[in-house]
Amino acid sequence: MAILRWLRRNLVVIAGLCTLAYLLLPNVIVTVFSFNKPKGRFNYSWQEFSTDAWQNPCDVADMCGSLSLSLQIATWATIGATVLGTMIAFALVRYRFRARGAINSLIFLPMAMPEVVMAASLLTLFLNMGAQLGFWTVLIAHIMFCLSFVVTAVKARVMSMDPRLEQAAQDLYAGPVQTFLRVTLPIAAPGIAAGALLAFALSFDDFIITNFNAGSTVTFPMFVWGSAQRGTPVQINVIGTAMFLVAVLLVLAGMLIGKRRNKQSR
Amino acid sequence: MTTTRTEAPPAKDPADPAPAPRGSRGRGRLVPYWLLLPGILWLIVFFALPLVYQASTSVQTGSLEEGFKVTWHFATYWDALTDYWPQFLRSVLYAGAATVLCLLLGYPLAYLIAFRAGRWRNLILVLVIAPFFTSFLIRTLAWKTILADGGPVVGALNSLHVLDVTSWLGATDGDRVLATPLAVICGLTYNFLPFMILPLYTSLERIDGRLHEAAGDLYAKPSTTFRKVTFPLSMPGVVSGTLLTFIPAAGDYVNADLLGSTDTRMVGNVIQTQFLRILDYPTAAALSFILMAAILLMVTFYIRKSGTEDLV
């Protein structure tokens, strides 16, 4: 009876942890199978333990090239989308002007549109313009769909900012530039960082829009897609595992820094 | 001292090196437009304009060799609908099933993070977000291993006679899960689950804990508290979560391609093939326009119905 009562009281916790397990199961499988030594082309069943793939992750032709291309695109797309998105977010929160409603829906629509639709329509534009598909078309597309997410993240932070802090800075004879650099920007930084991180993840991981607009350029997700048909090398699981670890460490480090800063400011 | 402060609080000292007020005010009015210009221009040229191009492509006829011309051939829409209605139907069904599953699976976890996790909250949040940063294609491929024929998951489902029921419903095929609708729905649910959990968590976290205490003080059972207090207050999260899962799931073709078979093709798969392999641009454009219109209609109806228009 006691067990039953305990189960009932903790039903939510148990169900929640089951969902968490569902979310993390593929990551566990990817990690485990990065130590596999498959027979044949496909790495879908466990054969024997080996660290071969971890020792030479770039052994697979073209994989690391596509990885570095994806990192480059993600970096530039993050910079572009963060700069443009932060500017838009400040304009939307800080100023009242005509066409605000229209601009808000223009920001919202890309997030509410299925990716195939955006991918296909962008391809029609590029085909009509006669643009050469490749690095630049991918970068343009990535900045476009990351932009809305950055605006949303930065907007949330700037909206919760106390405008009196900036007034105080101006009362203390700080010029507009000084106020922006020493007061506004540091306070908005966590929102901007969140937006940038999101943009990086979205751009690095995007497959659908990239697949339509990349031409013969192969990014890392496209390499994975292609290899799914030809047989996935174990090294892909190594990269997947490493990315997961880096992400967890980065986010945890960010949280620790945030916590320490909060303590100091208190 | 205080009187001088109140007389001119924001006014600047005459010695202020800032530019003259009149000039800065004139320029100040243009500041928001300068801030908006590059980003909005980007969205107009690379988001709105392409949609216009696509609309014009969908009413063109011709071939790749002879070139395409706008002939206002609206029949493409009709042909696309009659040829591909099974794929449209499947997209709505699969995405709908995945959304319901996401809500059922995601709610307990969001609730756990918001109210019961205590000092584990941040860690669990990281574990929900971190998969975002690993390639979703790699993770989707991992489902091939998990759901493999004769694997432990399929074996367990089989011995529990779950597969008999799902086969009868047409979601699985005998004792196979891979290459069936169930596998596609499973992949869709998995891929879009974080999009459900995060909005749910945000709206649950905003709920004042004292409301739960108040409900308890008024002799409400935990289940009643949930039904009458917690769930209604989490509605904004439910609405935005279901939208954030349904829309991308309906347009997805990756899961249907990697985990499904030719019998599980969704409308995204058709658009992809028409655009990139068959190169029948008008049909592909018409298909993606129908998909977009259908989703916009459903979303508008849904938002009206759920009465949270100010939400999005």
Side-chain angles (χ1 to χ4, degrees), chain A residues 10 12 16 19 22-23 26 44 87 95 97 112-114 116 120-122 125 128 140 205 211 221 240 243-244 247, chain B residues 31 35-36 42 46 50 53-54 57 105 109 111 116 133-137 143 145 186 190 247 251 253 275 292 295:
Chain A
N10 289 297
V12 182
T19 305
Y22 178 70
L23 263 179
Y44 292 140
M87 284 162 68
Y95 298 91
F97 50 88
M113 189 81 59
V116 225
S121 63
L122 204 54
L125 175 84
N128 272 299
I140 285 172
D205 208 15
N211 188 32
M243 271 156 48
F244 182 72
Chain B
V31 166
L35 283 172
L36 288 168
W42 201 281
F46 299 117
Y53 267 104
Q54 195 171 32
T57 306
L105 288 171
L109 184 53
Y111 191 94
R116 302 287 289 273
F133 290 81
T134 12
S135 176
F136 83 103
L137 281 170
W143 279 104
T145 309
C186 174
Y190 166 75
I247 298 171
Y253 63 82
F275 237 115
M292 188 176 81
I295 284 181

Side-chain angles (χ1 to χ4, degrees), chain A residues 94 157-168 183 187:
Chain A
R94 283 304 169 77
R157 177 78 189 181
V158 179
M159 267 201 294
S160 66
M161 237 165 98
D162 191 343
R164 282 173 300 184
L165 288 169
E166 284 163 309
Q167 285 165 13
V183 180
I187 302 177

